[in-house]
Amino acid sequence: MPLQNRVTPFSTIEADPARGMFMGNRGCLHGEHRNLEVEHTREKRWLVCLTSFKGRKRRIMQPGHYTELFFLDEATALAAGHRPCAECRRQAYDLFLKLYPGKRANAETLDKYLASDRLRPWPATFGELPEGTMFAVDADAFLKWRGKAWRWHHAGYKAAEIPDGTVEVLTPEGTVAALAAGYKPVVHGSAR
């Protein structure tokens, strides 16, 4: 049975066998028996990391350690309120920090802004959204990529109709501004 550590664009954490392209964390969310006890912590540093870095190996969901979370791709992680790790994804982090709106001197300041920005969906039209933004229509999540709409699933994307009217934007506003300024998230290959 899969562990409950797969993150959706809505920032919820589910059990699903799909592993995804990236991992990350938002602190320790699990208990002694590797069961999820909370989905959100007071920890402001929500990261998206590589699944492999410098040969490091860990047992997933060790008691007392951070909870390893998995994302289909970086667009999913950004929508859920995470940001690139400054250690394993340094180039992506530096560019994200540079393009995030306002002056961000360091990770601590950036994380403070992201913490106040995440989990607050807002309305927009499909045409207003930059590439890499995730949005919701009814209870389904979608990605805008290469001018098209893609329905999100843990295992990948499927082509969808471009929505008319207003959608609920899942990607935090500051992150959307970074996307509009030129940050290009890594997107799962099924969005072609």
Side-chain angles (χ1 to χ4, degrees):
M1 180 160 181
L3 296 170
Q4 187 180 358
N5 62 357
R6 281 28 176 200
V7 182
T8 74
F10 296 97
S11 196
T12 57
I13 304 172
E14 302 175 343
D16 192 276
R19 182 168 181 219
M21 298 173 65
F22 290 92
M23 69 158 286
N25 77 79
R26 47 177 87 154
C28 185
L29 309 174
H30 65 280
E32 181 179 335
H33 301 290
R34 298 167 74 184
N35 55 320
L36 204 66
E37 294 182 343
V38 296
E39 288 190 6
H40 306 287
T41 66
R42 292 181 191 190
E43 173 69 43
K44 288 181 173 50
R45 192 159 290 174
W46 290 19
L47 305 177
V48 56
C49 303
L50 299 173
T51 57
S52 178
F53 182 66
K54 294 187 176 182
R56 295 179 186 167
K57 302 225 183 270
R58 297 172 47 100
R59 180 175 162 253
I60 302 291
M61 295 174 93
Q62 293 180 57
H65 293 269
Y66 69 80
T67 304
E68 293 84 353
L69 302 172
F70 294 91
F71 310 95
L72 169 64
D73 57 10
E74 185 178 19
T76 303
L78 294 176
H82 293 250
R83 59 120 171 124
C85 174
E87 182 181 10
C88 68
R89 302 193 62 228
R90 188 64 194 205
Q91 258 188 315
Y93 165 78
D94 287 342
L95 182 59
F96 188 81
L97 185 65
K98 177 182 171 187
L99 297 175
Y100 195 86
K103 188 172 172 86
R104 306 289 169 253
N106 56 38
E108 186 176 332
T109 306
L110 175 62
D111 291 332
K112 181 177 148 189
Y113 280 91
L114 279 168
S116 69
D117 205 16
R118 69 175 62 108
L119 309 177
R120 291 190 340 214
W122 49 284
T125 64
F126 182 83
E128 294 172 315
L129 302 177
E131 299 286 305
T133 302
M134 298 207 71
F135 60 93
V137 176
D138 299 322
D140 291 320
F142 297 85
L143 167 71
K144 180 177 182 179
W145 190 245
R146 297 183 177 162
K148 297 180 181 175
W150 300 90
R151 185 182 307 272
W152 179 92
H153 299 277
H154 281 290
Y157 295 100
K158 294 190 186 207
E161 295 285 324
I162 292 177
D164 290 330
T166 303
V167 298
E168 181 180 47
V169 182
L170 301 174
T171 307
E173 285 189 79
T175 302
V176 170
L179 294 171
Y183 188 84
K184 298 288 181 223
V186 177
V187 172
H188 191 267
S190 58
R192 295 186 200 276

